[in-house]
Amino acid sequence: MSGSSSNPFSPYVPPRVWSPATQSGGAFANINRPIAGHTHEAELPVGKHPLQLYSLGTPNGQKVTIMLEELLDAGHAGAEYDAWLIKINEGAQFGSGFVEANPNSKIPALVDRSGATPVRVFESGSILVYLAEKFGAFLPTEQPARAETMNWLMWQMGSAPFVGGGFGHFFAYAPEKLEYPINRYAMETKRQLDVLDRLLAERRFIAGDEYTIADMAIWPWYGGLVLGELYGAAEFLSVHNYQQVRRWAEEVGARRGVIRGRKVNRVRGKPEEMVAERHDAADLD
């Protein structure tokens, strides 16, 4: 197909049977593969606290460290934790110990060693619910407030992949800029921001008047986006138009638990904002 063609789409024709490209290019290409399971033997370290977190300070990782710091800030001493850094760009998530904690090889993974038998918990939303129920905090027990909180937690779990794996990947990480996927995912990202903006025009927090795990789940993704901290895309997405999301993002972002939690397992940013591993509260001071 010549460069003068009016067809804006790639001439790629899928083969009858797919196989991975030898060189896929783009960020994280070296750790993408079409099979599961571990690639090497590597036991997970275990610290002194009841809760052992294996993670990285991405938006999904921040959800859990924010929750843990909020629990500690609320006086739940049993929420003390060790946070171990999992370097996903180096394939640490494919070590045998991590795969045992999370067969899906994605951060974050939590192991609760407070009881006789260790409990593994993976998927960030599942971890938030587990901790909320364990400590009786940040998740209403009465209806309809509980259902509303769960509604928005599940909304985040289903929606954010369009922002991260969709928009973020093609806008910031893909080896070349492609108009169709960027337009497709920018459209959906802006629609989601509008969903939140309309919601937050009617209430202080995501699920109502109370701060919950729904806020903790949504803030690292959408709060970060409107505060200009994701993908360098604030101007491109005209995030200034989402004033209610911005108002909420600033209020939540000023909470002590959020400020502390987002530092944990973080490897990018200002030096004072990064704490690669957390084993005591003093590590964040």
Side-chain angles (χ1 to χ4, degrees):
M1 183 175 292
S2 69
S4 62
S5 171
S6 61
N7 184 355
F9 303 108
S10 166
Y12 172 73
V13 176
R16 290 178 62 86
V17 179
W18 181 85
S19 61
T22 303
Q23 296 289 333
S24 62
F28 312 114
N30 64 315
I31 60 170
N32 291 334
R33 60 193 185 119
I35 59 173
H38 70 271
T39 59
H40 59 283
E41 296 294 328
E43 292 186 7
L44 290 176
V46 178
K48 62 184 179 181
H49 297 302
L51 301 174
Q52 298 294 302
L53 179 66
Y54 305 94
S55 191
L56 181 68
T58 65
N60 284 336
Q62 287 179 28
K63 298 176 196 174
V64 178
T65 50
I66 286 171
M67 174 61 163
L68 289 165
E69 291 298 327
E70 291 280 14
L71 287 167
L72 290 170
D73 216 34
H76 297 280
E80 273 292 348
Y81 68 104
D82 290 277
W84 303 92
L85 181 64
I86 299 297
K87 298 180 179 180
I88 62 173
N89 61 317
E90 298 178 6
Q93 69 276 34
F94 301 122
S96 56
F98 191 89
V99 173
E100 185 177 350
N102 182 0
N104 196 38
S105 293
K106 302 290 185 181
I107 62 95
L110 178 76
V111 179
D112 183 355
R113 296 180 174 274
S114 61
T117 303
V119 178
R120 73 176 186 185
V121 194
F122 56 89
E123 293 298 327
S124 56
S126 178
I127 297 173
L128 290 178
V129 173
Y130 179 84
L131 292 172
E133 292 182 338
K134 179 181 177 71
F135 293 101
F138 303 115
L139 176 60
T141 57
E142 301 295 327
Q143 301 292 9
R146 182 182 178 88
E148 186 69 356
T149 302
M150 295 297 289
N151 288 341
W152 288 104
L153 174 64
M154 297 305 152
W155 177 87
Q156 186 280 319
M157 299 296 291
S159 296
F162 289 96
V163 177
F167 174 75
H169 174 78
F170 286 104
F171 184 80
Y173 301 135
E176 58 181 313
K177 297 288 190 277
L178 301 173
E179 183 178 3
Y180 176 79
I182 290 176
N183 283 344
R184 164 70 180 90
Y185 290 113
M187 179 85 73
E188 176 61 11
T189 298
K190 288 180 69 65
R191 188 194 70 82
Q192 292 176 16
L193 286 169
D194 193 47
V195 168
L196 292 176
D197 207 55
R198 292 169 185 263
L199 176 80
L200 290 164
E202 301 176 350
R203 54 183 65 170
R204 180 180 177 187
F205 294 111
I206 294 295
D209 293 331
E210 301 296 326
Y211 176 71
T212 69
I213 57 174
D215 298 281
M216 298 178 203
I218 292 171
W219 188 89
W221 283 102
Y222 301 89
L225 201 56
V226 299
L227 294 175
E229 298 179 4
L230 282 184
Y231 311 127
E235 181 179 8
F236 181 78
L237 294 173
S238 301
V239 298
H240 63 276
N241 290 330
Y242 307 102
Q243 290 297 311
Q244 296 300 327
V245 183
R246 176 84 185 208
R247 182 268 308 163
W248 163 83
E250 289 175 346
E251 179 177 357
V252 172
R255 293 178 64 94
R256 184 173 184 270
V258 174
I259 292 171
R260 292 171 68 83
R262 66 192 306 239
K263 293 180 181 180
V264 180
N265 296 146
R266 191 169 178 177
V267 295
R268 293 181 181 178
K270 300 175 183 177
E272 64 271 19
E273 296 174 343
M274 298 186 293
V275 177
E277 293 187 353
R278 186 266 192 211
H279 302 290
D280 286 292
D283 293 336
L284 298 174
D285 295 330

